[in-house]
Amino acid sequence: MKRIHLILFLSPMVVFLLMFIIYPYIYIIIHAFMDDFTGRFTLRYVKNLFEKWAFTNAWRNSLMFSSLSTGIAAIFGSIIGWISTKFDDRKRGIISSLFSIPMTLSGLVVAFAFIVLLGRNGIFNIIFRDFLKLFHFDLYSWTGLAITYAFFNIPLFSLTMIAAFRNLNTSLVEAARNLGANIFQVWRYVIIPVLAPSFLAATSIVFAGMMGAFGTALALTGMAKNLLSIQIYSHVSESNYNIPQADALALLLGVTTATILLVLNTLERRLRIKE
Amino acid sequence: MKALVVKDLHKSFGNVRAVVGFTLEMEEGEFVTLLGPSGCGKTTVLRTVAGFEKADKGEIYIFGKLSNDIPPEKRDVGMVFQNYALFPNMTVAQNIAFSMMIRKEPQDKIKKRVGELLELVQLSGLENRYPHQLSGGQMQRVALARALAKNPKILLLDEPLSALDAKVRQQLRGEIRKLQMKLGITTLFVTHDQEEALTMSDRIVVMKDGVIQQIGSPRQIYDDPINPFVAHFVGTSSFLEGEMLDGKIFIWKDERFEVRKSKVKNGKALMVLRPTHLKMVKDEENVPDGSNVMKGRVSLVTFLGSVVRVHVMIKEEEILVEMPSEDFWGFKEGDEVIVYFSPDFPLVFPKEQNIQ
């Protein structure tokens, strides 16, 4: 291919990257260090990130909540992946199709669906609180938020793990058993090492998604839960307008997520097995 | 004591009967091959012996010990898989050492044994490679060493050569057999390749639709197939449909052949002619007395290296004749020839027995 053809061929991708990724990032980085009124360089907004309780707390909450949600997705996703090995290809295909549905739904719609189901006057609470007088489930708590996000994350994690388990060569398991390994040893020496890269890949995707998670949280709890994404939103909305501070928060979110993804991806590459 | 006894084994998957009434006894040190087309149940038998499938009915005795309910990891059998099944996250040495690692044997002992095994399969120096850095043949040697590492009483080989190139396959075929004889290890081998079965085995078990057709030495299976299926599956044959008269004369179209080995006395019958049983000449004077004689026209000559195979059209049927290359003296397509065979050779079966 001639050079000019290559450039033409790649240009849509380059334009896309420039417009939607590189330009916004550069803009954010510059403005996080720029005084909004004077236009001079300042470290004030970045310093705020480490000094204001609201920001350090949001950072910690985002990390903890993302880790928790990823953990839930990892546990259930792995179990579902393992269970899927008991089905034939056709049934597995149906499960995979069903699990693709949540990802196509808008976070806002799902939030309202959960309010109808688990909200203060939702079906669940009417049965368990009003009729059975057992307990009240608070959808607007961290637990409620975690369950709502699990609706997206468990299928996402499961899809990766279903594919990973499907590609797991069953004769590896049989070979290990033939060589004297019991069920636990088969998992320890064969299944887990072989599946680890896929597991880490799924962890990366879900974790990155959760760090930026915003729509459902806002729809459910407004600004009551102090997350980085919510903080950013509050600084670009009317109530608390401060664009440079929002830029600095976005920078923090980006750097944190990128660092963790870098660690996960490096680990994944090292564990990735060539076959 | 018998090394392996499989008694009246039955196994179905859903409503597919994979194995029906399989019975086999193996002597210690014997090399037995299960041979048959895909889906004949041969792999199921092997997997049941390994413990990966549970028998619906029947018993499996490994060196006298009833093994039906013993889990795979407790059975004294080593298995080699068609797709190698090497652990991709482990080196060659770690793969071979796996069973010893599980048994928590001391490091120095493991190291010594891995060295010995690598030498045995001629892979010394490759201990630190990963499976993806090896060729197919090398991988299967590692798999063999790994299966032997636990000193199994019986070695199970599940089509270990079928994923390999023809050249490697032939070489490894000989090596496995030599190794097996050297170690004296009882071996059950599964293949759909008749050549592998004929060259490697002490005995061959020919299977079809889950049922044993014939058990015998390679020679017996080839020379004295019990039915047209075995004759068709093992070796090349031409089949002639005709009629038997008094158990002595086979009538095919308007030809009459004298035969000595017929399973039919009178009625419709099928004659099996091995290409090597047939001889071919130009003039009738050269035909020995007492031979059965047919006239035909050469339709194709194929050179197979050590032998030449000639397709001869006789009364609108194609019959194959093979002769050693050095005996071939230049027939061409279109030549009129005389094909003859001794009454001792052909086998005649009842017509109702199918080839397929």
Side-chain angles (χ1 to χ4, degrees), chain A residues 31 229 237:
Chain A
H31 287 260
S229 54
S237 66

Side-chain angles (χ1 to χ4, degrees), chain B residues 194-221:
Chain B
Q194 46 137 331
E195 213 177 296
E196 281 172 20
L198 290 173
T199 52
M200 294 170 80
S201 324
D202 291 317
R203 280 193 301 157
I204 298 174
V205 179
V206 184
M207 292 178 71
K208 178 196 166 202
D209 299 335
V211 182
I212 294 180
Q213 303 292 308
Q214 188 172 7
I215 303 181
S217 69
R219 196 80 228 197
Q220 283 170 327
I221 298 282

Side-chain angles (χ1 to χ4, degrees), chain B residues 236 275 280 298-312 318-325 328 330-333:
Chain B
T236 321
M280 214 165 79
V298 174
S299 60
L300 184 69
V301 179
T302 48
F303 178 66
L304 301 175
S306 53
V307 296
V308 175
R309 179 178 293 171
V310 184
H311 299 235
V312 186
E318 196 169 52
I319 291 173
L320 304 179
V321 182
E322 269 176 23
M323 63 204 74
S325 295
F328 178 74
F331 294 104
K332 301 190 300 294
E333 283 84 352

Side-chain angles (χ1 to χ4, degrees), chain A residues 43-63:
Chain A
L43 282 173
R44 176 155 46 104
Y45 305 112
V46 175
K47 254 167 86 182
N48 283 345
L49 295 177
F50 302 98
E51 284 171 1
K52 289 205 172 174
W53 180 84
F55 297 157
T56 52
N57 179 254
W59 185 71
R60 197 169 39 238
N61 282 348
S62 276
L63 271 178

Side-chain angles (χ1 to χ4, degrees), chain A residues 169-183 185-186 188-190 192-194 271 273-275, chain B residues 47 50 52 71-73 75 77-79 81 83 85-90 98-99 101-102 104 132 146-147 150:
Chain A
N169 186 347
T170 48
S171 47
L172 287 183
V173 174
E174 288 178 348
R177 294 203 72 191
N178 178 254
L179 294 165
N182 61 33
I183 302 282
Q185 289 165 325
V186 169
R188 174 161 172 219
Y189 295 114
V190 181
I192 291 175
V194 172
L271 291 175
I273 294 154
K274 295 189 198 81
E275 287 209 59
Chain B
R47 291 174 55 80
F52 298 131
E73 63 268 27
R75 293 195 191 193
V77 299
M79 184 144 167
F81 296 81
N83 58 10
L86 294 181
F87 306 124
N89 50 320
M90 298 180 200
F98 189 84
S99 58
M101 187 264 296
I102 292 288
K104 300 197 168 62
H132 71 91
R146 182 179 69 174
K150 65 179 227 181

